[in-house]
Amino acid sequence: MALWCGRFELGPDALVQSYLQEDNMAPWSGRFKQAPDALVQAYSESISYDRRLYAYDIQGSIAHARMLGKQGIIPQDEANKIITGLKQIKQEIEQGRFVFKTELEDIHMNIEARLTEIIGEAGARLHTGRSRNDQIATDERLYLRDECDQLDELLQDLQKALLTLARRYPGQIMPGFTHLQHAQVVLFAHHLLAYVEMFQRDRERLQDARKRINRLPLGVGAIAGSTLPLDRKAVAEELGFDELLHNSMDAVADRDCLVEVLACLSIIAMHISRFAEDIVIWYSQEFAFIEIGDDFTTGSSLMPQKKNPDVAELARGKTGRVYGHLMALLTTLKGLPLSYNRDLQEDKEGLFDALDTVKHSLAVFAAMMGSIKPRGQRMQEAASDSFLMATDLAEWLVRQGLPFREAHHQVGRFVAACLAREQAPHEASLEQMKEDIPMASQECLQLWHPRASVEARDLPGGTAPAQVAKRMAYWQEKLQMHAD
Ligand code: ARG
């Protein structure tokens, strides 16, 4: 029975009895004369949130039990009983029949206590050569592996939704902004594809973090390893881990793989938030660049005319929360001596919340892409502001042999003169242009077409339709989207 053998007030048989009969006894109660104060129980429990790890806890326990049986550390038939019992518990939890008990503190002890209830004394052999310290570290890594895979799917779905939107409007032009000021003409599709690139790097970051997640802590016990002939490699293999963690103290104390995931999530949230900001701006009356479907906007309880881009605002707002969880875990870890400390239990709620939040944001953004329509006329009008083509004129001069700085200066003076005349550059006559740009010719008067301006930026990474089409084809292939 002994979860913490050696220091019991009661003999083992009596303990087994009380353990089986009494609901409210913690598995480590042997060393204690008094149960923890109710306040302490409430303060220290984690079952209210770590229950979400149940499937991973059971998966790890099954692998551990199988290994214990194979190694002859526990009788084979008892290993089999344990495995059957654990599978039953999984069903009970999934069918909502499992009774989680706060007195049993966490998911590990809840499952173990139930196992002993179901299979009797054989259940007491499961924790052989194992501690909750290596157990929780293993559960978390199994969980994070799955979460990384789900995030990858969600990021890919969002990339696909962005690509679909871009492909629907391949020729749509709009002003590109720097400092939120008109800069140069770009394609709407080019703007959207910028986010496809960002989300691709987010996927790469997660895939890289996953490599470090996929190492097995189990089998190192509480801190120092075990005197029992555990076969850690067999457990790693069964659980699909690439390798073992090689230092027992590191294995139970490390949470940097959680920090990495939180950092990845923070970067994803930051990318979503920037996109959210674009959407809020585009949707404002001043810009009026896009329409968003009714199903992705909300109204005002007071102002009847309002239709607000709340989804984008919420995603922007939730980003702060995700950063907060990253900072919280870094702060929790920074003062911890090796190895396990109970502080580490605080690693979970923020991680879960960050994952839930980012996954939800990714899903809602992917869905929202289908409801966004560019207001083509408005974008086209805004992109026809000929000041956006000032750089085209400067580069034309460079092609005539003028040093760029000089060209920039001359065009700058011309722009200032236009402003003084309250004239757009395309309204200036050749004579007016020549006052500041002696080399100007008829050809310069042809530079003010926004479409020609985008088309001229025809090199890799540029916004020319040919380049953007190439990149869209690349993504279509890479994201395995079928041509329509
Ligand atoms: N609930 C604990 C945690 O999340 C599990 C490990 C407990 N270990 C211990 N020695 N109290 O960290």
Side-chain angles (χ1 to χ4, degrees):
M1 197 60 255
L3 283 161
W4 283 265
C5 42
R7 308 194 66 163
F8 298 117
E9 294 281 324
L10 302 169
D13 283 347
L15 184 66
V16 170
Q17 291 306 318
S18 63
Y19 185 30
L20 292 176
Q21 284 162 11
E22 295 220 15
D23 269 350
N24 60 350
M25 242 174 119
W28 42 253
S29 59
R31 189 208 179 285
F32 294 85
K33 292 199 183 88
Q34 265 189 314
D37 186 272
L39 261 177
V40 172
Q41 272 190 16
Y43 194 61
S44 59
E45 67 85 22
S46 55
I47 188 61
S48 56
Y49 50 88
D50 68 11
R51 64 175 69 180
R52 88 154 69 186
L53 299 174
Y54 79 89
Y56 306 105
D57 197 72
I58 289 172
Q59 191 187 358
S61 288
I62 288 177
H64 185 65
R66 202 185 319 278
M67 177 277 290
L68 291 175
K70 250 201 209 131
Q71 294 296 100
I73 300 169
I74 67 173
Q76 189 60 55
D77 63 319
E78 298 204 3
N80 294 340
K81 269 195 206 162
I82 291 173
I83 293 170
T84 312
L86 287 167
K87 287 181 178 162
Q88 180 184 327
I89 292 172
K90 187 162 186 236
Q91 276 186 349
E92 288 177 3
I93 296 175
E94 274 156 12
Q95 292 164 359
R97 291 188 284 118
F98 190 93
V99 185
F100 291 100
K101 293 178 187 153
T102 310
E103 320 77 83
L104 293 173
E105 224 175 276
D106 55 28
I107 187 62
H108 324 299
M109 297 201 291
N110 266 270
I111 288 175
E112 197 183 330
R114 176 68 186 136
L115 182 68
T116 310
E117 242 171 53
I118 300 173
I119 65 169
E121 271 193 72
R125 296 201 189 269
L126 169 60
H127 213 52
T128 310
R130 183 177 79 170
S131 134
R132 280 184 294 155
N133 299 351
D134 55 345
Q135 193 178 355
I136 185 60
T138 304
D139 290 6
E140 288 182 329
R141 284 168 187 266
L142 288 168
Y143 166 73
L144 284 179
R145 227 166 55 174
D146 269 7
E147 291 294 312
C148 284
D149 295 343
Q150 282 179 34
L151 280 166
D152 188 69
E153 284 282 318
L154 286 163
L155 283 161
Q156 181 169 338
D157 288 348
L158 180 51
Q159 287 180 304
K160 286 180 179 175
L162 281 160
L163 186 59
T164 302
L165 183 57
R167 281 167 44 83
R168 212 172 279 151
Y169 305 98
Q172 179 63 54
I173 54 170
M174 67 183 290
F177 298 85
T178 61
H179 314 266
L180 204 54
Q181 304 282 316
H182 278 186
Q184 293 175 354
V185 187
V186 295
L187 289 181
F188 177 57
H190 194 54
H191 194 130
L192 296 175
L193 288 192
Y195 287 105
V196 176
E197 304 282 346
M198 289 179 234
F199 293 128
Q200 184 64 24
R201 291 195 295 278
D202 291 339
R203 292 177 64 190
E204 289 167 12
R205 252 185 293 277
L206 280 165
Q207 281 154 16
D208 192 58
R210 195 188 187 286
K211 291 183 207 154
R212 282 175 294 282
I213 290 168
N214 206 24
R215 296 171 187 171
L216 177 77
L218 202 63
V220 303
I223 169 168
S226 178
T227 62
L228 300 167
L230 306 175
D231 184 353
R232 294 186 65 209
K233 279 203 175 131
V235 174
E237 208 159 288
E238 164 156 357
L239 295 175
F241 282 100
D242 294 329
E243 54 179 306
L244 305 179
L245 284 169
H246 295 293
N247 180 298
S248 60
M249 297 178 77
D250 175 45
V252 294
D254 166 42
R255 293 295 181 276
D256 57 45
C257 62
L258 274 72
V259 174
E260 279 195 67
V261 169
L262 283 165
C264 291
L265 291 172
S266 296
I267 296 173
I268 296 170
M270 176 271 290
H271 284 153
I272 296 175
S273 191
R274 294 188 76 169
F275 188 28
E277 179 67 2
D278 275 338
I279 290 171
V280 169
I281 290 171
W282 291 348
Y283 191 61
S284 70
Q285 280 82 4
E286 278 66 28
F287 275 75
F289 278 4
I290 54 168
E291 267 307 334
I292 308 178
D294 282 359
D295 44 349
F296 285 90
T297 49
T298 58
S300 155
S301 61
L302 190 147
M303 298 168 280
Q305 86 284 10
K306 288 300 284 289
K307 182 173 150 182
N308 300 322
D310 288 28
V311 169
E313 293 169 76
L314 281 166
R316 193 176 56 186
K318 285 173 191 289
T319 301
R321 189 157 125 194
V322 177
Y323 294 177
H325 294 316
L326 170 63
M327 290 318 297
L329 183 58
L330 284 169
T331 309
T332 297
L333 295 177
K334 78 175 272 292
L336 289 189
L338 288 186
S339 57
Y340 180 84
N341 299 271
R342 191 62 180 273
D343 315 43
L344 291 176
Q345 181 166 298
E346 288 296 308
D347 64 352
K348 283 175 230 17
E349 284 169 289
L351 177 72
F352 294 162
D353 183 63
L355 281 161
D356 291 347
T357 303
V358 170
K359 280 161 48 180
H360 209 157
S361 295
L362 286 169
V364 76
F365 259 59
M368 184 165 64
M369 289 309 105
S371 91
I372 288 182
K373 285 193 186 77
R375 296 180 60 178
Q377 188 78 22
R378 275 284 311 151
M379 281 187 174
Q380 167 87 31
E381 270 166 31
S384 304
D385 166 11
S386 48
F387 285 103
L388 283 158
M389 275 65 86
T391 317
D392 299 56
L393 180 53
E395 289 181 356
W396 181 87
L397 287 166
V398 166
R399 285 198 295 278
Q400 313 312 307
L402 212 60
F404 178 72
R405 274 290 150 238
E406 178 57 22
H408 185 285
H409 191 72
Q410 290 185 10
V411 176
R413 280 205 318 251
F414 168 64
V415 163
C418 289
L419 288 168
R421 290 191 292 263
E422 295 189 19
Q423 192 184 44
H426 72 277
E427 291 164 346
S429 65
L430 185 56
E431 288 64 44
Q432 286 173 324
M433 202 185 268
K434 280 194 154 153
E435 287 169 23
D436 297 300
I437 307 172
M439 284 170 85
S441 77
Q442 280 295 333
E443 237 182 278
C444 302
L445 301 179
Q446 306 307 310
L447 292 173
W448 306 121
H449 301 291
R451 183 147 312 275
S453 174
V454 249
E455 275 164 7
R457 287 179 165 72
D458 193 8
L459 46 77
T463 192
Q467 293 295 336
V468 175
K470 238 191 243 169
R471 200 61 187 161
M472 287 198 286
Y474 166 86
W475 284 119
Q476 178 131 359
E477 166 96 31
K478 173 123 180 145
L479 302 171
Q480 293 175 347
M481 289 172 76
H482 303 295
D484 40 33

